[in-house]
Amino acid sequence: MIVVKTKQELQQALKPFHLPTHSIGFVPTMGALHEGHVSLMEAANANHSIVVVSIFVNPLQFGPNEDFETYPRQLEADQKVAREAGCDILFCPSVEDIYPDGFPQIVHVQQGANVMCGKSRPGHFDGVATVVLKLFSLIRPEAAYFGKKDAQQLAIIKQLVNEFFMPIKVVGCKTVREEDGLARSSRNVHLTKAERQYAPLLYKALQRAKASNNRNVPELIELVRVSLAQIPSGSIDYIEAYEYPSLKQVEVATGRIILALAYQFSHARLIDHVQIDFSNRGEA
Ligand code: AMP
């Protein structure tokens, strides 16, 4: 594995591989790598001759009162994880390298960004789409690997690639969880001991609602709200449900929906979701 820190070094390293004899798989991350990231790298490794991983904490996707400054950064440990997971080129650019002139142009996501995390984090998905467009332009991979954990992000990136006619396959990979069901996240390190004990309730609440087989969306949301009331600290940021992947509003679900939540603990905002496909279910 080689580590490159600038665009120039990256282009130099990629030169021999932009040939039909090679296939580049790309995994964009913000670092603090865990098993979730590893699963994406392994999927890329299984399908491509070259795996490029980026580690970049993108300032444009953080709001003014969010955790950009405190987001965990651990480059040395990350290098080891990436190497062992089969990464060939690790790209760790600086903010100046990605945004040399500040933000003279950004992508504005019109559809799918006004709900869920887009509603509580205004501009977040514009930041995500902008950095992904930049990274895709630099790396020109055949495929890019994203976690289904960030389901809204995955839907928006698929839309981005479609809209701008980018010849890149976007692959969604299954959410990796701790044994108790908590979705792996770089932000989990910011949970207090007590919060860590309660955090698995997020997924349990979603699973309980899913198991109810209720097609009525407001009632599904209420079921999650009732379960989350068991958590003694923190607050619900949102509990929402939409058709997926269109993220269109739905009152009574008939097809595939996403039931999603964000929960604010003292120093970590966690997200999770379940998908429910009512088209395959009998009458509830
Ligand atoms: P992040 O570093 O949090 O921006 O995540 C980088 C990529 O890893 C994104 O595509 C995430 O969806 C994915 N990812 C993060 N956590 C998980 C997880 N627990 N399981 C699978 N993929 C994940």
Side-chain angles (χ1 to χ4, degrees), residues 199-249:
L201 279 172
L202 303 182
Y203 186 49
K204 287 206 176 84
L206 293 163
Q207 281 181 308
R208 248 178 243 158
K210 179 172 177 168
S212 76
N213 273 327
N214 194 334
R215 289 170 184 268
N216 181 296
V217 164
E219 287 176 16
L220 268 180
I221 290 172
E222 191 49 32
L223 284 174
V224 179
R225 191 179 309 282
V226 168
S227 297
L228 292 186
Q230 294 171 54
I231 306 180
S233 63
S235 59
I236 295 167
D237 179 349
Y238 68 76
I239 308 166
E240 296 176 25
Y242 299 98
E243 270 180 18
Y244 192 82
S246 71
L247 297 176
K248 287 192 181 137
Q249 202 116 33

Side-chain angles (χ1 to χ4, degrees), residues 109-126 151-153 155-156 159 237-250 258 260-262 269 271:
V109 182
Q110 293 270 33
Q111 195 183 302
N114 55 348
V115 296
M116 294 162 51
C117 288
K119 197 161 69 186
S120 44
R121 304 182 70 187
H124 169 68
F125 287 112
D126 289 359
Q152 187 174 15
Q153 170 173 282
I156 286 171
Q159 189 180 285
D237 179 349
Y238 68 76
I239 308 166
E240 296 176 25
Y242 299 98
E243 270 180 18
Y244 192 82
S246 71
L247 297 176
K248 287 192 181 137
Q249 202 116 33
V250 58
I258 178 172
L261 61 80
R269 178 182 172 279
I271 60 170

Side-chain angles (χ1 to χ4, degrees), residues 114-173:
N114 55 348
V115 296
M116 294 162 51
C117 288
K119 197 161 69 186
S120 44
R121 304 182 70 187
H124 169 68
F125 287 112
D126 289 359
V128 170
T130 302
V131 80
V132 167
L133 176 60
K134 281 176 177 256
L135 293 169
F136 280 5
S137 305
L138 284 172
I139 293 159
R140 289 182 283 130
E142 182 175 306
Y145 292 75
F146 290 84
K148 288 184 180 168
K149 168 174 178 282
D150 298 285
Q152 187 174 15
Q153 170 173 282
L154 179 60
I156 286 171
I157 300 298
K158 283 190 171 167
Q159 189 180 285
L160 176 83
V161 162
N162 242 355
E163 279 306 308
F164 293 103
F165 313 122
M166 290 185 250
I168 297 172
K169 189 173 158 204
V170 175
V171 183
C173 300

Side-chain angles (χ1 to χ4, degrees), residues 13-14 40 47 51 56 63 72 87 107 117 183 198 215 234 237:
L14 280 174
L40 306 186
N47 294 313
V51 175
F56 180 62
C87 168
V107 178
C117 288
Y198 285 107
R215 289 170 184 268
D237 179 349

